Amino acid sequence: MLVTSGAGVRHECGQAAKLRYLSTLSPSSMEHVACSFLREKLNAADVSSSGDAATASLSSGFGGHPIQVQAVDTSTSHVPQMLHSTMRAMKTALNLSTNQTIQAAQVIREASGNRKAIQPGLKEFLFSEGQSVAHFFAVEQLQFICKQPSGQVISIDRSAVFCCNVSEFLAYVCSLRGMAEMEHHLKLGIDGGGNSLKICISVTDSDGLPAQASMPGPSNRFLNSGVKKLFVLAIVEDVKECYENVKTLLSTMDISSFLFTLACDFKLANIICGIQSHASTHPCLYCEGKSPWTTPAPSRTLGSVRRLANEFQLAGGHQPAAKHFANCVQSPLLPGLDSTELIELVPPPELHIMLGIVNRLLDELNNRWGNDMAYKWAHGAGICRQQYHGGCLEGPACKKLLLKAGELWNILPAHLKMFAVALQDFNAIRLACFGQTLANDFALHIARFQTTCQFLQLNVTPKMHALFHHVPTFCSKSGKALGSFSEQTVESAHSDFEATWQRYRRPFNHPQYAANLLQAVVNYNSFHI
Ligand SMILES: [Zn+2]
Ligand SMILES: [Zn+2]
């Protein structure tokens, strides 16, 4: 080895003398020597085209494994590469278009000063990913019923998108999510909100708990039960929310081949099950009882509704006569054995129970307090109704009101304080059986709330009846809280899908309308797997 001394005089010496000489170097000189040596060695190792950093191997003079030294390229080390799956999750989370996602990638590349900040081939990945479920969906013109502004009901042709092979589609989803078939829970959601009739499906783990890390990575950040993992199975725009239209949309798909629970609001649940509305004599979806609900009534089954609806139609099918047939007017649109109870198919919808009861309590309190005092207090407390007058509280506002029941109690006149107690009682129910875990004492909370409502002499509405009588039965039988069956996700599907649809939307009479509705559904679903 040649070492240049400070004076620049070259001389040769033996191994031992060389080592002795090195030990006399100052720490900074030693560093300079090491630096130039390592640089040479790393350059020789050369950075291969794989993009890996160069590695130099240093053997020890005293035996043992060589030390591996890797050069760290400071221009890239702080920017870990973003994988396609990360960009995909970003697209889904923010409802970005494919082009917006590509633009986002460009911003990241520029900001990091590194073209490799994003996994190469993103554009191709997003385009092929966006078509991944295309062959499971189709579009067709079907006849739907439409109500004219004049009130006249007419039949119209409208393009509907639907899943043409539900069981294969579900098998595909399960395989990609790493879920064993039969080990999942299927929740079918039907919703008529936002000017379209939609059938959605959530494929969740059977225990109803958040997904296990079967598929690690960014796409796993979404819960299988959430809206970002929900699929639109069928959709038609701007048709009436009625039995015939739901029947037409459901008839495009074979839903008899799998077991599911249905999540929807009470109004649609009655329509789908062939029962008249909540304004009718026997409004309950789950039993044949009627107000004031003091005597127990037989549970409704698919068989009982089928039989009664048939008898009603044989008797002439005049709507006012339906009360003699427990208000059953049509055959239920859900498949299953006659012995299947409706509560097994349509678990009590927790969101609409809460909305119905909390709004009822607020409205009743407002009436008894007078001078809109309750509404004014709510407004002052930041609990906003859809409109200051006439509107009702939506989900988040309901929760806020329940949490502020203590404050309300403080300012209520003595004879109305029980309303605040009722709100607190209801909140206890919400915590005990409206989430993901069922508290042991949930039935006690329901009984307590019922007693408070009796004290307040509130008429028992169908929703209150469902809470008092059917929620306890459902939760004890299933051993589960209502959260896993909630219609909440289906409700939020409307605005989530809308964000995709607005990029494809065309007017009804546009030649591309059908093709674009299909593309919107395919793109939305492809990124929700
Ligand atoms: Zn020497
Ligand atoms: Zn009932």
Side-chain angles (χ1 to χ4, degrees), residues 10-30:
R10 295 177 70 204
H11 70 275
E12 300 195 24
C13 56
Q15 176 81 4
K18 283 188 240 173
L19 286 171
R20 209 177 310 121
Y21 169 75
L22 272 177
S23 68
T24 67
L25 290 177
S26 71
S28 68
S29 300
M30 198 128 46

Side-chain angles (χ1 to χ4, degrees), residues 301-439:
T301 60
L302 283 176
S304 76
V305 183
R306 283 169 183 157
R307 180 178 51 79
L308 287 162
N310 188 42
E311 289 172 9
F312 164 73
Q313 285 171 6
L314 289 175
H318 301 298
Q319 298 295 312
K323 61 172 181 284
H324 304 302
F325 302 91
N327 294 92
C328 300
V329 290
Q330 303 269 19
S331 186
L333 295 174
L334 302 173
L337 298 173
D338 275 354
S339 57
T340 310
E341 293 193 358
L342 293 193
I343 198 163
E344 299 170 47
L345 288 172
V346 194
E350 56 167 27
L351 176 64
H352 285 85
I353 292 178
M354 177 175 81
L355 292 174
I357 289 177
V358 173
N359 277 292
R360 175 83 209 289
L361 287 170
L362 181 64
D363 291 346
E364 190 63 33
L365 172 63
N366 194 64
N367 285 343
R368 295 195 198 175
W369 202 352
N371 200 21
D372 270 354
M373 286 295 282
Y375 294 160
K376 284 174 187 162
W377 171 82
H379 191 74
I383 300 161
C384 297
R385 306 189 311 139
Q386 282 172 315
Q387 298 131 21
Y388 186 68
H389 287 285
C392 59
L393 301 178
E394 294 190 84
C398 282
K399 278 184 204 165
K400 208 165 174 182
L401 175 59
L402 293 172
L403 296 174
K404 293 201 173 199
E407 283 176 38
L408 179 62
W409 192 89
N410 287 332
I411 62 144
L412 276 179
H415 71 289
L416 294 174
K417 281 194 191 292
M418 277 307 263
F419 274 96
V421 175
L423 289 169
Q424 277 170 333
D425 287 351
F426 185 82
N427 196 43
I429 295 174
R430 191 176 68 86
L431 297 173
C433 58
F434 279 31
Q436 292 296 325
T437 46
L438 185 65

Side-chain angles (χ1 to χ4, degrees), residues 368-508:
R368 295 195 198 175
W369 202 352
N371 200 21
D372 270 354
M373 286 295 282
Y375 294 160
K376 284 174 187 162
W377 171 82
H379 191 74
I383 300 161
C384 297
R385 306 189 311 139
Q386 282 172 315
Q387 298 131 21
Y388 186 68
H389 287 285
C392 59
L393 301 178
E394 294 190 84
C398 282
K399 278 184 204 165
K400 208 165 174 182
L401 175 59
L402 293 172
L403 296 174
K404 293 201 173 199
E407 283 176 38
L408 179 62
W409 192 89
N410 287 332
I411 62 144
L412 276 179
H415 71 289
L416 294 174
K417 281 194 191 292
M418 277 307 263
F419 274 96
V421 175
L423 289 169
Q424 277 170 333
D425 287 351
F426 185 82
N427 196 43
I429 295 174
R430 191 176 68 86
L431 297 173
C433 58
F434 279 31
Q436 292 296 325
T437 46
L438 185 65
N440 289 326
D441 58 350
F442 77 94
L444 211 73
H445 291 293
I446 294 177
R448 183 176 297 159
F449 177 62
Q450 189 175 1
T451 308
T452 309
C453 289
Q454 275 162 1
F455 181 89
L456 286 168
Q457 296 183 303
L458 295 171
N459 286 334
V460 179
T461 61
K463 282 172 193 166
M464 287 161 76
H465 158 72
L467 176 65
F468 299 156
H469 294 271
H470 299 299
V471 171
T473 315
F474 178 82
C475 290
S476 8
K477 259 194 193 170
S478 66
K480 285 179 181 167
L482 299 180
S484 321
F485 310 96
S486 173
E487 76 283 24
Q488 173 81 66
T489 306
V490 184
E491 297 274 319
S492 37
H494 168 65
S495 61
D496 195 56
F497 177 73
E498 185 65 21
T500 296
W501 176 223
Q502 52 94 9
R503 301 197 303 265
Y504 293 84
R505 186 190 295 282
R506 297 287 179 276
F508 287 125

